[in-house]
């Protein structure tokens, strides 16, 4: 179990998305989207493919540039004005759909790179982690269930274990906001259930935004959901409330969670 950070209030807003728009050439991918995410909330972004969910995640982490509006982090920083590595250092961690771990080094060495927060082999080869950082790395390895495989290479891991390793690498940087893009895609039910447990425990320390198509997973894990359609917010609320919205049923849920 991760440490429960009691500082701050659960109702504090950690991210304010204020009337943002995103263009790719003449195509308006995102149109005047506004929403806010509370500290230690698990927010799901759902909707059909092409609705704009991942485009929003990319904007939050600096990968996409916005053409209008603001993205305010911790009520102070407009992260749309910063580069990706600066945003990461500010405490926003991003996991993409495909795990991006280093297969040529061990699981422990992958974690060391993340904990050191200096993503070069030099930082782990020639510099030792502090005792506190190593303790936290061990803590995260145990939390993700990978402590007994720490000296193996990622190629030996199952698909789900690779996802947990990358989540662990993000956790090792102690972010305040984590962005996850389809974290259970390709997982079996048992791995999905374990991932749900991990996220429920992770939110004791940070807020989490999840892009996901697995509606059962969303029901089990989400505190609230934002439904996107054609680059705009269609509805927002609890999973129970949005699934009763006739528009949402017609656009997305009524299709049985169409991919």
């Amino acid at each position: 179990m991760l440490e429960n950070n009691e500082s701050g209030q659960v109702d504090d807003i950690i991210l304010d998305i204020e009337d943002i728009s995103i263009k790719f050439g003449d195509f308006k991918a995102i149109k005047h989207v506004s929403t806010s995410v509370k500290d230690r909330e698990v927010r799901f972004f759902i909707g059909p493919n092409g609705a704009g969910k991942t485009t929003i995640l990319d904007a939050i982490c600096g990968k996409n540039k916005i053409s209008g509006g603001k993205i305010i982090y911790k009520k102070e920083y407009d992260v749309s004005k910063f580069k990706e590595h600066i945003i990461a250092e500010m405490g926003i961690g991003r996991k993409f759909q495909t795990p991006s771990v280093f297969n040529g080094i061990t699981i422990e060495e992958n974690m060391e790179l993340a904990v050191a927060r200096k993503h070069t082999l030099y930082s782990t080869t020639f510099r030792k982690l502090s005792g506190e950082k190593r303790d936290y790395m061990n803590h995260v390895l145990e939390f993700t269930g990978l402590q007994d495989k720490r000296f193996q290479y990622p190629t030996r891991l199952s698909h789900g274990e690779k996802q947990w390793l990358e989540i662990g690498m993000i956790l090792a940087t102690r972010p305040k906001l984590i962005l996850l893009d389809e974290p259970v895609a390709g997982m079996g039910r048992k791995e999905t259930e374990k991932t749900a447990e991990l996220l429920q425990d992770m939110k004791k320390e940070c807020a989490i935004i999840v892009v996901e198509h697995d509606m059962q997973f969303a029901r089990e894990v989400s505190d609230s959901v934002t439904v996107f359609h054609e680059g705009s917010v269609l509805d927002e609320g609890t999973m129970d409330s949005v699934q009763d919205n006739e528009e949402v049923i017609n656009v997305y849920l009524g299709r049985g969670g169409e991919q």
Side-chain angles (χ1 to χ4, degrees):
M1 181 178 292
L2 287 176
E3 302 158 354
N4 190 354
N5 183 357
E6 296 295 345
S7 63
Q9 300 298 315
V10 174
D11 289 338
D12 284 348
I13 300 298
I14 193 164
L15 190 76
D16 259 318
I17 296 174
E18 302 178 358
D19 193 35
I20 71 165
S21 296
I22 299 173
K23 291 181 181 179
F24 298 118
D26 293 330
F27 174 61
K28 285 189 175 182
I30 300 296
K31 308 161 190 172
H32 303 288
V33 165
S34 295
T35 189
S36 59
V37 178
K38 296 177 181 177
D39 188 21
R40 286 176 257 169
E41 174 187 2
V42 180
R43 170 71 61 85
F44 272 62
F45 287 174
I46 66 173
N49 280 341
K53 309 177 299 295
T54 297
T55 303
I56 292 280
L57 286 198
D58 286 345
I60 297 169
C61 72
K63 188 177 173 66
N64 280 341
K65 296 304 177 186
I66 65 175
S67 54
K70 297 178 180 179
I71 304 175
I72 307 298
Y73 175 60
K74 290 185 174 180
K75 301 181 181 179
E76 185 177 359
Y77 306 101
D78 183 354
V79 295
S80 65
K81 300 182 182 302
F82 294 93
K83 294 184 178 179
E84 288 181 68
H85 71 280
I86 299 295
I87 294 171
E89 289 172 3
M90 292 167 70
I92 297 179
R94 170 70 190 274
K95 183 196 173 307
F96 294 88
Q97 184 176 352
T98 303
S100 55
V101 300
F102 299 98
N103 287 323
I105 58 177
T106 66
I107 290 163
E108 179 173 270
E109 288 167 336
N110 270 277
M111 287 294 299
E112 286 177 340
L113 283 178
V115 174
R117 298 191 68 159
K118 295 181 184 295
H119 293 249
T120 66
L121 288 174
Y122 174 85
S123 66
T124 52
T125 304
F126 298 105
R127 299 180 185 178
K128 292 184 179 180
L129 293 178
S130 68
E132 188 270 339
K133 285 186 175 180
R134 182 161 292 280
D135 286 346
Y136 193 73
M137 180 191 76
N138 291 334
H139 177 66
V140 172
L141 280 169
E142 184 176 357
F143 173 72
T144 54
L146 297 174
Q147 70 275 22
D148 293 335
K149 299 185 177 184
R150 64 195 304 154
F151 301 121
Q152 295 182 17
Y153 289 86
T155 51
R156 301 283 300 275
L157 298 178
S158 70
H159 172 70
E161 288 171 330
K162 284 183 181 178
Q163 300 282 3
W164 302 332
L165 171 58
E166 189 168 19
I167 288 173
M169 290 169 67
I170 296 169
L171 284 173
T173 68
R174 299 192 175 185
K176 296 306 297 176
L177 174 64
I178 295 179
L179 314 175
L180 303 177
D181 198 350
E182 298 193 40
V184 299
M187 287 188 186
R189 203 66 231 164
K190 284 189 176 180
E191 288 184 327
T192 298
E193 289 170 358
K194 176 174 175 178
T195 304
E197 292 173 3
L198 291 178
L199 265 60
Q200 291 286 10
D201 210 356
M202 285 160 55
K203 77 172 187 176
K204 296 174 182 177
E205 287 197 345
C206 61
I208 307 168
I209 300 176
V210 185
V211 165
E212 190 53 72
H213 284 291
D214 187 323
M215 291 299 98
Q216 182 177 341
F217 181 66
R219 288 187 186 96
E220 291 170 353
V221 180
S222 65
D223 293 313
S224 59
V225 300
T226 303
V227 186
F228 287 88
H229 179 53
E230 295 182 348
S232 299
V233 174
L234 182 63
D235 196 7
E236 189 168 89
T238 65
M239 193 68 187
D240 286 340
S241 71
V242 301
Q243 69 184 2
D244 289 335
N245 181 322
E246 202 65 35
E247 267 193 294
V248 174
I249 292 170
N250 291 334
V251 165
Y252 183 55
L253 296 177
R255 300 177 183 177
E258 183 179 336
Q259 298 291 314

